[in-house]
Amino acid sequence: MTYRAPAAEYQFLFRHVVGFDRVAATERFGEADEGTVSAILNEAAKLCDEVLAPLQRPGDLHPTRLENGVMRSSPGFAEGWRAIADGGWIGMSGDPKRGGMGLPMALTAAVNEMMAGACMSLQLAPLMSQGQMEALEHHASEALKDLYMPKLMSGEWAGTMNLTEPQAGSDVGALTSKAVPNGDGTFAVSGQKIFITWGDNDFCSNVCHLVLARLPGGQPGTKGISLFLVPKFLPDENGEPGVANSLKVVSLEHKLGLHGSPTCVMDYDGATGWLVGAENGGMAAMFTMMNNARLGVGGQGIGAGEGAYQLALGFALERKQGKTPSGTIIDHADVRRMLAEMKADIFAARAIMLDCAVATDMAEATGEADWRARAAFLTPISKAFGADTGISVAQTGVQVHGGMGVIEETGAAQFYRDVRVTSIYEGTNGIQAMDLVGRKLKDGGDAACHLMDEIETHAEGARASHPRMAEAVWQANESLREATEWLMAQDDMNNRFAGAVPYLRAFARVLGAHYHLGAARAAPGGARERLARFYIPRMLPEHAGLLAHAQAGAQTLFDVSADDLAAG
Ligand SMILES: Cc1cc2nc3c(=O)[nH]c(=O)nc-3n(C[C@H](O)[C@H](O)[C@H](O)COP(=O)(O)OP(=O)(O)OC[C@H]3O[C@@H](n4cnc5c(N)ncnc54)[C@H](O)[C@@H]3O)c2cc1C
């Protein structure tokens, strides 16, 4: 079955589930009316179906290579990048003054997800550029913005993000890369970075690295880190790539999936860089990029899930095994269960991501703190649940295929291998969950409460038309409220952290039910209502076990000592 980007699904979500009309009603995003949104989604879907999806398998079979220091991308990737760039998809939400389209983040999130479903390893490249542009937009000097942003938006140049070092993964504050002032406003950046996505390519005339490094005297930990823009080629007086900078790709990591996307060990040896943001303010600047990328990585999970689902559905509609009414395995109860779970979870994860993107747009358009807080609260859920959904859906996709699932030719295994990393990069899902129960509840639970109040009001409003589903959502929301209060009452942060992952997942489950209920109300009597009737009694109840786990505290966890874990 060939991949079909879910443009129609997005149109439904925009219109009926996440209230995109509020974004379109703002002055800032007034041009994003329904007709424009549909046209953009349909055009992006065409690119995904016709240009990007055909690159998925070649990228896996013919990984990017490093030949004598020169990157050789997978077959067709250069043309794929050009098509993405020429369509204006990289700068979709970028500043129109510098060549962007100024469109809402919700649209970018949708298009990014559709591209990830088509070919995630290539889609990572524009995703990195988008994150970099966002960091530059908010933190760089006007001169840097004028020089770099138009070229990044047009795809002439590409961007990367460089945080990770061998000893500094989740603990970014442990990094040791250094930056020394050159005395002319530039800095000499030195150090080794690992795992750098698209650290180089053969389809852009320059590659711009955002690098975290420590200035002389910078205090230990994250407070002493600064951010630098370090291009592969130093721009000449006309702003064109000039002299090669002192940096190189040392090697490529050999990894489980995403073979078309080079993951690089980078060496910076006194490379010339420009400060972005304040001295020692690197983490704040990097967080702008990471928040953008977190939404994007959640979307990658959903996209890969969508691709895996379509493949599994196609297989189930054709594979004959055992006696069923249609003659194919789709009529076996267990196969039907797997496919319904896949579809229902993709819907839930997609709605969460889109709600988060809508909140981001509303925060930008109105400047209101409540929208900003909602976006901040939903970001870790969107990232972690999107990634987990992609992984579980792709894993189930392999199962639907039976033995053919582990045979590479079907493509089912590739989705699973490719998506696996999404719960690891951009902050592991464990770190996302800790952020949710730590920093994101520091507001006294206001953002969480606003969301739960909204779910409660919605469930009450649905009692007349959908009494059973409304009651189940209402009850689950109450349990979530109690668990949130329990977590906030814990002064020992380990009591929160021990339950962080199950709490995040439970929150996503309840949100998923809320959106499914919304879809059922918007389209009564149809497939969407039937999917909600599947999700709410079968998948929502998982929240109860998760919340019990979330409130179990740290004591019984640490009672299982390291020696116990090692015992035979
Ligand atoms: C394919 C790929 C592409 C990548 N691209 C980039 C890139 O472009 N730029 C970049 O800078 N980095 C990139 N990374 C690096 C990625 O962001 C890190 O792998 C990730 O942050 C985790 O760091 P780590 O691998 O060192 O794991 P570790 O930090 O060693 O974590 C190991 C385990 O311990 C857990 N853990 C660690 N600290 C804590 C804590 N405080 N509390 C609870 N649990 C904890 C983690 O959740 C994880 O389960 C990429 C990685 C991969 C695999």
Side-chain angles (χ1 to χ4, degrees), residues 30-45:
E31 284 170 19
D33 57 30
E34 215 169 294
T36 309
V37 166
S38 294
I40 289 172
L41 289 171
N42 289 332
E43 197 55 33

PDB file of all heavy atoms in Angstrom, residues 30-45:
ATOM      1  N   GLY A  30      -4.442  35.954  10.486  1.00  0.00           N
ATOM      2  CA  GLY A  30      -5.718  36.148   9.798  1.00  0.00           C
ATOM      3  C   GLY A  30      -5.774  35.529   8.407  1.00  0.00           C
ATOM      4  O   GLY A  30      -6.861  35.219   7.896  1.00  0.00           O
ATOM      5  N   GLU A  31      -4.604  35.352   7.800  1.00  0.00           N
ATOM      6  CA  GLU A  31      -4.614  34.808   6.430  1.00  0.00           C
ATOM      7  C   GLU A  31      -4.838  33.299   6.399  1.00  0.00           C
ATOM      8  O   GLU A  31      -5.108  32.727   5.339  1.00  0.00           O
ATOM      9  CB  GLU A  31      -3.286  35.133   5.737  1.00  0.00           C
ATOM     10  CG  GLU A  31      -3.221  36.580   5.295  1.00  0.00           C
ATOM     11  CD  GLU A  31      -1.843  36.978   4.832  1.00  0.00           C
ATOM     12  OE1 GLU A  31      -1.036  36.102   4.504  1.00  0.00           O
ATOM     13  OE2 GLU A  31      -1.588  38.199   4.808  1.00  0.00           O
ATOM     14  N   ALA A  32      -4.717  32.676   7.563  1.00  0.00           N
ATOM     15  CA  ALA A  32      -4.828  31.204   7.588  1.00  0.00           C
ATOM     16  C   ALA A  32      -6.297  30.775   7.678  1.00  0.00           C
ATOM     17  O   ALA A  32      -6.704  30.064   8.598  1.00  0.00           O
ATOM     18  CB  ALA A  32      -4.022  30.644   8.752  1.00  0.00           C
ATOM     19  N   ASP A  33      -7.100  31.216   6.704  1.00  0.00           N
ATOM     20  CA  ASP A  33      -8.513  30.820   6.740  1.00  0.00           C
ATOM     21  C   ASP A  33      -8.657  29.376   6.250  1.00  0.00           C
ATOM     22  O   ASP A  33      -7.678  28.753   5.821  1.00  0.00           O
ATOM     23  CB  ASP A  33      -9.362  31.783   5.890  1.00  0.00           C
ATOM     24  CG  ASP A  33      -8.874  31.844   4.453  1.00  0.00           C
ATOM     25  OD1 ASP A  33      -8.331  30.822   3.960  1.00  0.00           O
ATOM     26  OD2 ASP A  33      -9.017  32.891   3.822  1.00  0.00           O
ATOM     27  N   GLU A  34      -9.892  28.881   6.312  1.00  0.00           N
ATOM     28  CA  GLU A  34     -10.106  27.460   6.030  1.00  0.00           C
ATOM     29  C   GLU A  34      -9.633  27.060   4.623  1.00  0.00           C
ATOM     30  O   GLU A  34      -9.007  26.002   4.444  1.00  0.00           O
ATOM     31  CB  GLU A  34     -11.595  27.142   6.202  1.00  0.00           C
ATOM     32  CG  GLU A  34     -11.787  25.761   6.772  1.00  0.00           C
ATOM     33  CD  GLU A  34     -13.227  25.537   7.188  1.00  0.00           C
ATOM     34  OE1 GLU A  34     -13.675  26.205   8.129  1.00  0.00           O
ATOM     35  OE2 GLU A  34     -13.880  24.687   6.552  1.00  0.00           O
ATOM     36  N   GLY A  35      -9.921  27.924   3.662  1.00  0.00           N
ATOM     37  CA  GLY A  35      -9.528  27.604   2.277  1.00  0.00           C
ATOM     38  C   GLY A  35      -8.016  27.523   2.137  1.00  0.00           C
ATOM     39  O   GLY A  35      -7.477  26.613   1.496  1.00  0.00           O
ATOM     40  N   THR A  36      -7.324  28.475   2.771  1.00  0.00           N
ATOM     41  CA  THR A  36      -5.859  28.491   2.684  1.00  0.00           C
ATOM     42  C   THR A  36      -5.279  27.252   3.356  1.00  0.00           C
ATOM     43  O   THR A  36      -4.369  26.596   2.828  1.00  0.00           O
ATOM     44  CB  THR A  36      -5.305  29.761   3.373  1.00  0.00           C
ATOM     45  OG1 THR A  36      -6.007  30.879   2.846  1.00  0.00           O
ATOM     46  CG2 THR A  36      -3.823  29.926   3.157  1.00  0.00           C
ATOM     47  N   VAL A  37      -5.819  26.933   4.537  1.00  0.00           N
ATOM     48  CA  VAL A  37      -5.327  25.761   5.277  1.00  0.00           C
ATOM     49  C   VAL A  37      -5.497  24.498   4.427  1.00  0.00           C
ATOM     50  O   VAL A  37      -4.570  23.696   4.284  1.00  0.00           O
ATOM     51  CB  VAL A  37      -6.063  25.629   6.632  1.00  0.00           C
ATOM     52  CG1 VAL A  37      -5.831  24.267   7.256  1.00  0.00           C
ATOM     53  CG2 VAL A  37      -5.606  26.732   7.585  1.00  0.00           C
ATOM     54  N   SER A  38      -6.671  24.338   3.825  1.00  0.00           N
ATOM     55  CA  SER A  38      -6.916  23.149   2.991  1.00  0.00           C
ATOM     56  C   SER A  38      -5.955  23.100   1.824  1.00  0.00           C
ATOM     57  O   SER A  38      -5.381  22.041   1.523  1.00  0.00           O
ATOM     58  CB  SER A  38      -8.333  23.166   2.430  1.00  0.00           C
ATOM     59  OG  SER A  38      -9.228  23.037   3.460  1.00  0.00           O
ATOM     60  N   ALA A  39      -5.779  24.245   1.178  1.00  0.00           N
ATOM     61  CA  ALA A  39      -4.898  24.270  -0.004  1.00  0.00           C
ATOM     62  C   ALA A  39      -3.478  23.898   0.396  1.00  0.00           C
ATOM     63  O   ALA A  39      -2.805  23.112  -0.299  1.00  0.00           O
ATOM     64  CB  ALA A  39      -4.935  25.658  -0.645  1.00  0.00           C
ATOM     65  N   ILE A  40      -3.011  24.418   1.525  1.00  0.00           N
ATOM     66  CA  ILE A  40      -1.638  24.137   1.967  1.00  0.00           C
ATOM     67  C   ILE A  40      -1.489  22.657   2.314  1.00  0.00           C
ATOM     68  O   ILE A  40      -0.525  21.992   1.917  1.00  0.00           O
ATOM     69  CB  ILE A  40      -1.267  25.040   3.166  1.00  0.00           C
ATOM     70  CG1 ILE A  40      -1.090  26.480   2.686  1.00  0.00           C
ATOM     71  CG2 ILE A  40      -0.003  24.540   3.873  1.00  0.00           C
ATOM     72  CD1 ILE A  40      -0.922  27.502   3.766  1.00  0.00           C
ATOM     73  N   LEU A  41      -2.453  22.130   3.050  1.00  0.00           N
ATOM     74  CA  LEU A  41      -2.361  20.712   3.442  1.00  0.00           C
ATOM     75  C   LEU A  41      -2.385  19.799   2.213  1.00  0.00           C
ATOM     76  O   LEU A  41      -1.620  18.832   2.130  1.00  0.00           O
ATOM     77  CB  LEU A  41      -3.503  20.349   4.395  1.00  0.00           C
ATOM     78  CG  LEU A  41      -3.404  20.948   5.810  1.00  0.00           C
ATOM     79  CD1 LEU A  41      -4.691  20.711   6.595  1.00  0.00           C
ATOM     80  CD2 LEU A  41      -2.216  20.372   6.575  1.00  0.00           C
ATOM     81  N   ASN A  42      -3.232  20.133   1.253  1.00  0.00           N
ATOM     82  CA  ASN A  42      -3.316  19.285   0.056  1.00  0.00           C
ATOM     83  C   ASN A  42      -2.041  19.357  -0.777  1.00  0.00           C
ATOM     84  O   ASN A  42      -1.579  18.355  -1.324  1.00  0.00           O
ATOM     85  CB  ASN A  42      -4.528  19.682  -0.802  1.00  0.00           C
ATOM     86  CG  ASN A  42      -5.827  19.271  -0.105  1.00  0.00           C
ATOM     87  OD1 ASN A  42      -5.841  18.312   0.674  1.00  0.00           O
ATOM     88  ND2 ASN A  42      -6.900  20.001  -0.354  1.00  0.00           N
ATOM     89  N   GLU A  43      -1.469  20.545  -0.855  1.00  0.00           N
ATOM     90  CA  GLU A  43      -0.224  20.708  -1.621  1.00  0.00           C
ATOM     91  C   GLU A  43       0.914  19.946  -0.938  1.00  0.00           C
ATOM     92  O   GLU A  43       1.710  19.274  -1.599  1.00  0.00           O
ATOM     93  CB  GLU A  43       0.099  22.219  -1.691  1.00  0.00           C
ATOM     94  CG  GLU A  43       1.086  22.625  -2.742  1.00  0.00           C
ATOM     95  CD  GLU A  43       0.718  22.180  -4.160  1.00  0.00           C
ATOM     96  OE1 GLU A  43      -0.487  22.121  -4.491  1.00  0.00           O
ATOM     97  OE2 GLU A  43       1.657  21.871  -4.921  1.00  0.00           O
ATOM     98  N   ALA A  44       0.974  20.053   0.388  1.00  0.00           N
ATOM     99  CA  ALA A  44       2.026  19.331   1.126  1.00  0.00           C
ATOM    100  C   ALA A  44       1.841  17.826   0.967  1.00  0.00           C
ATOM    101  O   ALA A  44       2.816  17.077   0.815  1.00  0.00           O
ATOM    102  CB  ALA A  44       1.989  19.719   2.602  1.00  0.00           C
ATOM    103  N   ALA A  45       0.591  17.387   0.985  1.00  0.00           N
ATOM    104  CA  ALA A  45       0.320  15.950   0.853  1.00  0.00           C
ATOM    105  C   ALA A  45       0.823  15.443  -0.493  1.00  0.00           C
ATOM    106  O   ALA A  45       1.381  14.342  -0.587  1.00  0.00           O
ATOM    107  CB  ALA A  45      -1.170  15.685   1.005  1.00  0.00           C
TER     108      ALA A  45
END
